[in-house]
Amino acid sequence: MTIAFIGLGNMGGPMSSLLVRAGHAVRGYDLSADARQALTDAGGTVAESLTEAVNGAEVVILMLPNSDIVESTVHAAGFAAGTTVIDMSSSEPLRTRALALSLEEQGIALLDAPVSGGVARARTGKLTIMTGGPRADLERVEPILACLGTTTRAGEVGAGHAVKALNNLMSATHLLVTSEALLAGERFGLDPATMLSIFNSSSGRSGSTENKWPNFILPGTYDSGFGLRLMLKDMRIAVGLAAQVGTPDPLGEAAAGLWERAAEALDAGADHTEIVNWLRKD
Ligand code: NAD
């Protein structure tokens, strides 16, 4: 199968390389020359334009920052009828649904398959992939997705994007409260590594205590590869979803407000784990 892979950044880079290693014919495209070079080094083919990348591809995978860029890319690409487009970016569920409807009229299937697991699991093909779309379409692309991780169908188109945003609202809120607890404990004279080891066999554990704090915050590297602004985007999507369906979301709104303030204070390229440094200073 010929796969066009658009968006070769922190996640799309290692994901496209894995598809090459699995024997798929991958033609990648990214605005960044460095990102294109990384795919060439991994043995993939790089296109010089978006239209060249998608020309003749049966499947197009998108791993782009947000819905605005996904929509403009889809409109500029000019997909042929019969193409299956898999949006693996963390996009906005209602916009995904609308886009899928308009593409369906042109004989193009749009599926959503966002991921969790970060750069480390993108490299090892152990991502959690949450999908939305008709079962038959998803089964057809499952051999591709299986190279990247384990898939669970969340529901119809847009369902994957909804659950992804909700997951990240939880994850970002966990990271904030975990950081508040650890900073308070530290001021009390406790050792953060000891606290983490206790939390990790207690009820306060989460991805923040098991992964983010020990791997990126305690060592002081802040290099998870997931941008703070991308996390904030996901929180806004989740809070917007709660508002659209009319469920109360006071904690999520408060947490998103704090991430907004951190995003204003920190550099545009800050890693999401740097929220701790903002808390320390604020
Ligand atoms: P990134 O910024 O590292 O990569 C995005 C890439 O898209 C960049 O290389 C950029 O040059 C490229 N790009 C932007 N506009 C483009 C265009 N018009 N045409 C072609 N290329 C374009 O971001 P990332 O961390 O790889 O995240 C990608 C998506 O995955 C986001 O939606 C993010 O929320 C989601 N996500 C990220 C992580 C993570 O840990 N980094 C985990 C899960 C989900």
Side-chain angles (χ1 to χ4, degrees), residues 6-12 29-32 35 63-66 69 72-73 88-91 115-119 164 224-227 230 233-234:
I6 316 300
L8 308 170
N10 287 337
M11 294 296 283
Y29 179 68
D30 193 292
L31 293 179
S32 148
M63 196 53 176
L64 293 163
N66 55 47
I69 297 176
S72 61
T73 299
M88 301 193 78
S89 334
S90 305
S91 305
V115 303
S116 183
V119 174
K164 170 63 194 176
S224 78
F226 183 41
L230 288 177
K233 166 209 55 166
D234 294 341

Side-chain angles (χ1 to χ4, degrees), residues 87-99:
D87 183 13
M88 301 193 78
S89 334
S90 305
S91 305
E92 297 174 41
L94 291 181
R95 289 173 74 173
T96 302
R97 268 196 209 163
L99 189 61

Side-chain angles (χ1 to χ4, degrees), residues 1-6 8 12-13 15-29 39-40 42-47 53 57 59 61 144 148:
M1 222 184 263
T2 304
I3 303 168
F5 204 114
I6 316 300
L8 308 170
M15 289 163 71
S16 56
S17 296
L18 272 184
L19 293 174
V20 172
R21 248 180 278 157
H24 291 289
V26 179
R27 211 182 306 136
Y29 179 68
L39 179 59
T40 310
T45 308
V46 157
V59 171
I61 296 179
I144 297 174
L148 306 174

Side-chain angles (χ1 to χ4, degrees), residues 31-64:
L31 293 179
S32 148
D34 287 350
R36 295 198 299 269
Q37 186 59 44
L39 179 59
T40 310
D41 295 345
T45 308
V46 157
E48 288 308 314
S49 70
L50 172 65
T51 45
E52 185 192 322
V54 305
N55 185 22
E58 295 143 279
V59 171
V60 178
I61 296 179
L62 307 176
M63 196 53 176
L64 293 163

